[in-house]
């Protein structure tokens, strides 16, 4: 039997692959297992349909945010087009399902692949540009894709939108929020697993090297442009996958939600969660989704209770204000995001009573 | 032919306004290399300051104009001091996202106070500024915009060329660390550049408000149109911003007139991608872009 790994009282690592382990102790492994078990057995039993809806929204947002974090947090390329890629995925999934009549378990990954292709096309400028200029190029990509989604009517049916067929998986109909909960969270677990392990491979190390110093990376023999394109591709695959799941979950789609605001929301998730941290993306998705929902709830409540009947309309912009404020405060006060807050909390418990 | 002339004049005037709105953006980029995503909201704030002073406080127009610009100047100083100074030396994405956050905050605040309605200013421009030439009639506000724009352009040209503060700004833009070690007060340069940029943005916002009416959504959309304009003109060239603005304006109106109205809004961004791929430093920008 293998020796059980417990928390050592210092740093006794001798080889690099010990640094690269996902779980440094066996307790981590155990807790991850327990967490997954609770997620898949208890939560669907306990919660109301509205809560399930919020969980599903968080799951979808988390998949897309992990993708964006691979691009921004690990490769250092800022993209303002992630919302559009999400939309491409949603439309691709819808078109595969309605025109080609592919089942869901094929059309969602296929949508991811299509989006990866589109993302790589819009990643081509990264071969010549970096920093600000690349950001602006992806901003242009956002607007161009948005335009195509609305005006390429033979493919996307324009402002009419597309209605998707009801979902069947392995011959069984998937209905309601709970059915989708399993699909979305199994996909999310897979996405997390792949992303974490990707960063331990040659390819992930290359991404991090490019982020830290692209010239040094080039000097060490990493072909920069192919890796940047690959990063764009992987990130867009995640976005497209999440988008297609979203399309199936919603049942019908139009081009409206995939605007610059959505891209900014994803960047906010990555920053608030913590750049360069997979768990951070999930924290960010939880935070932004809950913020959105609670602000919407507050706005509705204020309008219904009649406290502000005549100025009821004026409360809605509060959502935008608070959203902006959250981004600004996180950047100024905790630029490493919620992942860092979590790490500090954990280590202060671990080091108690000598925490600092 | 008439249609062509109409489009030409329309494009020139729209383009000139784009150029005017882009000037403040270039100011900020020139001194601190910050892409300001809150630029459209700065335009809107200027326009709403003027609206409040001119129609609600009923101040005399020239006084209200100067006071609104003063307000923008102070706002610029405050924004720099509170939000951007802590980020000096931080990675690019934080600075970009901070301006994105600021944009959402400003927009929410404006909507909270004024709502999303369209407001108009009272008529106050003299009729002498109106230009009539055959069938083409250019309303007085464009004349005024032209004069104000030319004046500001001249002032900034002189400011950057001859005044010590302007030269400090250029030095900081060129190399922050070298400027710092030569005794330039970088903090003051940043503060001043944000203040001046907010002032210019406020001025452009007022001009846009006179022409199109005051509305947050329209003005913040123009704030995004600034990107193709400045990339075409060169990110750090104020004259380039005007010329880039005019080219983009012409391109937009001609596409809208001859090809398809729906393509109108996306054509600047298609051009933007092409320029970035072919000539990333724009027409008049400094060729310092780093290739990787």
């Amino acid at each position: 039997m293998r020796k059980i790994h417990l928390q050592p009282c210092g740093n006794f690592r001798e080889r690099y692959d010990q640094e690269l382990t996902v779980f440094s102790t066996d307790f981590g492994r155990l807790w991850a297992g327990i967490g997954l078990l609770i997620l898949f057995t208890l939560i669907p039993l306990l919660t109301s349909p509205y809560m399930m809806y919020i969980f599903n929204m968080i799951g979808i947002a988390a998949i897309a945010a992990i993708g964006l974090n691979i691009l921004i947090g690990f490769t250092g390329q800022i993209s303002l087009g992630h919302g559009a890629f999400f939309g491409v995925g949603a439309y691709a999934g819808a078109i595969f399902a309605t025109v080609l009549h592919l089942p869901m378990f094929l059309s969602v990954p296929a949508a991811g692949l299509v989006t990866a292709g589109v993302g790589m096309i819009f990643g081509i400028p990264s071969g010549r540009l970096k920093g600000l200029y690349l950001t602006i190029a992806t901003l242009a990509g956002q607007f161009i894709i948005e335009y195509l989604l609305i005006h390429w009517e033979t493919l996307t049916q324009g402002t009419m939108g597309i209605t998707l067929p009801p979902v069947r998986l392995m011959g069984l109909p998937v209905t309601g929020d709970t059915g989708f909960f399993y699909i979305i969270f199994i996909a999310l677990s897979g996405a997390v697993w792949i992303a974490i392990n990707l960063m331990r491979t040659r390819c992930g190390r290359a991404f991090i090297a490019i982020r830290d110093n692209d010239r040094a990376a080039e000097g060490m023999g990493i072909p920069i442009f192919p890796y940047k394109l690959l990063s764009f591709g992987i990130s867009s695959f995640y976005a497209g996958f999440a988008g297609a799941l979203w399309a199936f979950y919603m049942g019908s789609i139009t081009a409206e939600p995939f605007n610059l605001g959505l891209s900014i929301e994803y960047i906010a998730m990555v920053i608030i969660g913590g750049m360069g941290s997979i768990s951070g993306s999930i924290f960010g998705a939880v935070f932004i989704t809950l913020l959105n929902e609670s602000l919407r709830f507050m706005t509705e409540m204020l309008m219904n209770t009649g406290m502000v009947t005549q100025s009821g309309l004026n409360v809605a912009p509060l959502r935008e204000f608070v959203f902006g404020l959250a981004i600004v405060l996180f950047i100024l006060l905790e630029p490493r995001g919620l992942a860092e807050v979590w790490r500090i909390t954990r280590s202060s418990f671990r080091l108690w009573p000598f925490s600092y | 032919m008439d249609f062509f002339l109409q489009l030409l004049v329309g494009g020139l005037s729209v383009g000139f306004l784009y150029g005017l709105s882009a000037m403040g953006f270039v100011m900020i980029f020139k001194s601190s290399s910050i892409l300001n995503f809150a630029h459209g909201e700065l335009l809107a704030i200027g326009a709403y300051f003027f609206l409040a002073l001119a129609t609600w406080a009923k101040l005399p127009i020239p006084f209200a104009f100067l006071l609104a610009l003063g307000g923008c100047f102070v706002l610029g100083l405050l924004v720099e001091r509170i939000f951007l100074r802590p980020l000096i030396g931080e990675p690019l994405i934080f600075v970009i996202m901070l301006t994105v956050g600021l944009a959402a905050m400003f927009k929410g605040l404006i909507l909270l106070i004024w709502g999303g309605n369209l407001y108009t200013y009272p008529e106050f421009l003299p009729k002498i500024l109106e230009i009539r030439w055959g069938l083409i009639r250019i309303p007085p506000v464009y004349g005024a915009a032209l004069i104000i724009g030319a004046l500001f352009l001249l002032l900034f040209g002189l400011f950057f060329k001859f005044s010590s503060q302007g030269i400090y700004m250029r030095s900081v833009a060129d190399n922050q660390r070298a400027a710092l070690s030569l005794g330039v007060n970088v903090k003051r340069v940043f503060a001043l550049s944000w203040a001046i940029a907010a002032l210019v943005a406020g001025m452009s916002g007022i001009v846009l408000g006179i022409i199109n009416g005051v509305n947050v959504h329209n003005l913040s959309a123009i704030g995004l149109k600034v990107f193709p304009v400045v990339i075409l003109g060169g990110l750090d060239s104020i004259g380039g911003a005007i010329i880039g603005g005019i080219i983009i304006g012409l391109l937009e109106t001609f596409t809208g007139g001859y090809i398809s109205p729906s393509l109108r809004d996306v054509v600047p961004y298609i051009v933007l991608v092409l320029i970035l791929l072919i000539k990333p430093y724009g027409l008049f920008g400094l060729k310092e872009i780093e290739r990787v």
Side-chain angles (χ1 to χ4, degrees), chain A residues 127-128 147 215 267 271 314, chain B residues 97 112 263 277 290-292:
Chain A
R128 280 191 73 176
Y147 172 82
R215 284 185 207 164
I267 297 189
I271 286 186
N314 286 347
Chain B
M97 273 314 283
L112 214 58
L263 202 61
L277 284 176
E290 202 179 330
R291 298 254 172 86
V292 274

Side-chain angles (χ1 to χ4, degrees), chain B residues 121-182:
Chain B
Y121 294 133
E123 286 279 326
F124 59 83
L125 288 166
K127 288 276 173 239
I128 324 160
L129 289 170
E130 184 171 319
I131 302 164
R132 274 175 187 284
W133 185 55
L135 281 170
I136 297 153
R137 178 181 156 277
I138 300 170
V141 60
Y142 283 103
L146 201 65
I147 293 169
I148 294 178
L151 197 69
F152 268 78
L153 202 60
L154 187 71
L155 274 178
F156 283 126
L158 294 176
F159 177 76
F160 275 117
K161 195 105 190 156
F162 297 113
S163 85
S164 57
Q165 283 302 326
I167 293 168
Y168 292 160
M169 278 187 176
R170 269 166 45 205
S171 69
V172 171
D174 200 36
N175 189 330
Q176 207 166 308
R177 228 174 271 170
L180 198 62
S181 63
L182 287 172

